[in-house]
Amino acid sequence: MGNPFNKIKTTILFFIIYILSVFLVNELFPGDICNPGGGFLMVMLLIPISIILLFFRIVKYYRER
């Protein structure tokens, strides 16, 4: 079994890079009150991405056990 902190570091690094890219996309493609910008859409995609990542981590954990 590998070091579990490597998985945690990878996940935290992914979310930090993703959130920084949300701010970047929000600056590049701003929205207004009627049309949400790219940053808003990326924030909305963060919820399903987190759920999918959690699901894969749980499945991988029980397969390695």
Side-chain angles (χ1 to χ4, degrees):
M1 190 183 238
N3 189 358
F5 291 109
N6 288 338
K7 294 178 186 178
I8 294 171
K9 287 179 187 176
T10 306
T11 305
I12 290 172
L13 184 65
F14 167 75
F15 281 114
I16 288 172
I17 291 172
Y18 190 86
I19 290 173
L20 290 175
S21 67
V22 166
F23 288 119
L24 179 68
V25 169
N26 195 31
E27 289 296 319
L28 294 175
F29 304 106
D32 57 3
I33 196 92
C34 295
N35 300 319
F40 176 75
L41 296 176
M42 286 182 71
V43 168
M44 296 309 291
L45 279 176
L46 188 62
I47 296 168
I49 289 172
S50 299
I51 292 171
I52 291 169
L53 183 63
L54 176 68
F55 175 73
F56 280 125
R57 296 285 176 163
I58 289 172
V59 168
K60 190 173 180 180
Y61 173 76
Y62 281 111
R63 281 190 181 172
E64 289 179 354
R65 249 178 105 189

